[in-house]
Amino acid sequence: MAERPGLVVVKVGSSSLRGPDGLLDRSVVARLGHQLARVRADGSRVVLVSSGAVSAGMGLLGLHHRPRERELLQACAAVGQAELINAYQHVFDDHGLSAAQVLLTQDDFVGRGRYLGARRTLRRLLELETIPVINENDTIAFDELAYGDNDHLAALVASMLHADLLVVLSDVDGVHDAPPGRPGARVIPRIDDPATLDDVLVGGTGSHVGSGGMRTKVDSAQVVTSSGGAVVIANAARPDVVVDAVAGRSVGTLFPARPRASDARRLWIGFALRIRGRVVVDAGAVEALTRRGTSLLPVGVVDVDGDFVAGSCVEITGPDGVAVARGLTTLAAEDLRLIAGRSTTEAREALGAGRIREVVHRDQLFVFPDHRAARGDA
């Protein structure tokens, strides 16, 4: 990064914020908050995406293990969210800064109106010189609690706001070229193309590219770099890690920005949403989707795999099984099976005129570059 980034998004995970007693570790919050204030004082605007509400609530409620019951998880988030934001504000008070709590869900990025509304609000908060502290709205969310640790959310926020840099703080030093515990394992200082990681052996708890932890971080890096920002994955425990990353010093693993910028919402669909099913299309549909940028119509559908509802993210593959796109379907799997291969007129007769439209609208479609899908489900 030749110039100091104008806007920085910092993401910190639950494991980095939770103390050995299960409570929110305020000393960690303090170290991070002071760093953000320094970055802000040096001229960069800052947005923080912070996990920790569930773990903070667990501590306050006397729970020693993460609950499996959804309602109890959501209750922990409700109790812990106030603890989390108060901890940050206590630190920012020392610097004359205000924290602005923002709770988001997947729907805030998929729906166009809510996406634009969230972006306007965040931009206004930055104009008011606050530090937005963003978290998933775990109190009402569903899928987020099941698999998310805010990596994807941070990537979409960074892409939405055209951030120059996303700093992802973890409990490992970066992406390794071998399991971190293995003798000789080293951090990869720079990764220009995340696809090259498919040929690199990396492993270990929390740092295996194929596992939930590092896999989501690498996918998130791909979202941000594809939309024009750089990404650094580094250890939250490293002294002054955020300050050094913003200054361009070597900390962790750097994913440099790519020259071409893509639409954030489509990137979210392509890399961040969980796949609920697959739709096989014929060669003509592949041509229409990838070359002409059209919507997917029922006539091009050959087969449907999975049991999904309308609005789900589905992977679209050609007759050769190669994934060419992902998108949000307007129809449930059972309805799509009923009209697969039929013309629009025939589909109307089968389901009713008011229910037939595109299977996937082009505005809700992400086409993989060179027909190459991201490895693994997000």
Side-chain angles (χ1 to χ4, degrees):
M1 293 174 292
E3 300 180 0
R4 183 177 184 86
L7 175 59
V8 179
V9 175
V10 177
K11 181 267 174 182
V12 62
S14 299
S15 61
S16 300
L17 295 172
R18 186 171 53 245
D21 58 358
L23 293 169
L24 183 70
D25 191 332
R26 285 181 174 263
S27 66
V28 175
V29 172
R31 289 197 301 269
L32 176 58
H34 290 312
Q35 289 187 70
L36 299 182
R38 285 176 59 186
V39 170
R40 183 72 183 80
D42 288 339
S44 297
R45 294 173 297 160
V46 180
V47 174
L48 174 64
V49 178
S50 178
S51 301
V54 171
S55 60
M58 286 169 53
L60 292 173
L61 293 173
L63 302 175
H64 301 291
H65 302 284
R66 184 178 177 89
R68 294 181 179 273
E69 179 191 341
R70 176 187 294 165
E71 289 75 13
L72 185 52
L73 276 170
Q74 293 170 322
C76 288
V79 172
Q81 194 60 245
E83 172 84 349
L84 183 66
I85 194 67
N86 286 334
Y88 283 117
Q89 184 58 62
H90 180 74
V91 180
F92 292 157
D93 282 340
D94 294 339
H95 302 274
L97 297 171
S98 295
Q101 185 180 51
V102 181
L103 302 178
L104 299 173
T105 66
Q106 286 189 8
D107 290 342
D108 295 310
F109 293 92
V110 175
R112 184 66 175 171
R114 293 172 67 170
Y115 172 86
L116 293 175
R119 185 172 67 181
R120 286 193 296 267
T121 298
L122 289 171
R123 285 177 173 175
R124 186 58 174 153
L125 287 171
L126 290 169
E127 290 172 359
L128 294 170
E129 300 187 353
T130 70
I131 296 183
V133 179
I134 301 173
N135 198 356
E136 289 175 319
N137 195 352
D138 289 338
T139 303
I140 62 172
F142 293 95
D143 288 343
E144 290 84 348
L145 283 169
Y147 77 97
D149 193 26
N150 279 343
D151 291 317
H152 289 146
L153 177 61
L156 265 295
V157 169
S159 185
M160 167 196 280
L161 297 175
H162 303 294
D164 302 292
L165 174 65
L166 168 63
V167 180
V168 179
L169 300 179
S170 179
D171 55 0
V172 294
D173 295 330
V175 181
H176 290 72
D177 60 0
R182 180 179 298 174
R186 296 177 299 176
V187 172
I188 305 173
R190 179 182 174 118
I191 298 173
D192 290 284
D193 183 4
T196 61
L197 292 174
D198 294 336
D199 300 322
V200 176
L201 176 62
V202 276
T205 302
S207 64
H208 195 302
V209 169
S211 70
M214 193 56 76
R215 176 74 264 176
T216 58
K217 289 175 176 56
V218 172
D219 285 346
S220 297
Q222 191 161 356
V223 170
V224 177
T225 57
S226 296
S227 56
V231 178
V232 170
I233 299 176
N235 196 322
R238 177 178 177 138
D240 292 332
V241 60
V242 176
V243 174
D244 288 343
V246 173
R249 303 184 185 99
S250 180
V251 292
T253 300
L254 169 67
F255 296 78
R258 299 181 186 181
R260 294 185 61 184
S262 303
D263 178 72
R265 291 175 62 254
R266 287 193 172 93
L267 288 167
W268 173 256
I269 294 170
F271 294 105
L273 288 181
R274 176 174 291 183
I275 297 173
R276 300 299 184 182
R278 286 175 173 80
V279 177
V280 181
V281 300
D282 59 27
V286 171
E287 174 74 16
L289 295 174
T290 61
R291 303 298 180 190
R292 301 200 298 272
T294 67
S295 301
L296 176 61
L297 301 177
V299 68
V301 177
V302 175
D303 194 14
V304 179
D305 180 26
D307 184 20
F308 50 84
V309 299
S312 299
C313 181
V314 297
E315 189 165 72
I316 302 170
T317 67
D320 57 359
V322 176
V324 298
R326 290 180 184 175
L328 304 183
T329 176
T330 63
L331 296 167
E334 59 180 346
D335 291 335
L336 185 51
R337 289 189 182 95
L338 183 63
I339 64 172
R342 301 192 185 192
S343 67
T344 303
T345 300
E346 293 172 332
R348 286 197 182 100
E349 293 175 354
L351 293 182
R355 299 185 59 195
I356 295 303
R357 48 198 183 279
E358 303 88 349
V359 174
V360 177
H361 192 276
R362 62 183 181 182
D363 290 342
Q364 307 285 8
L365 184 73
F366 176 85
V367 177
F368 290 110
D370 301 324
H371 297 185
R372 185 180 63 193
R375 295 295 179 91
D377 293 353

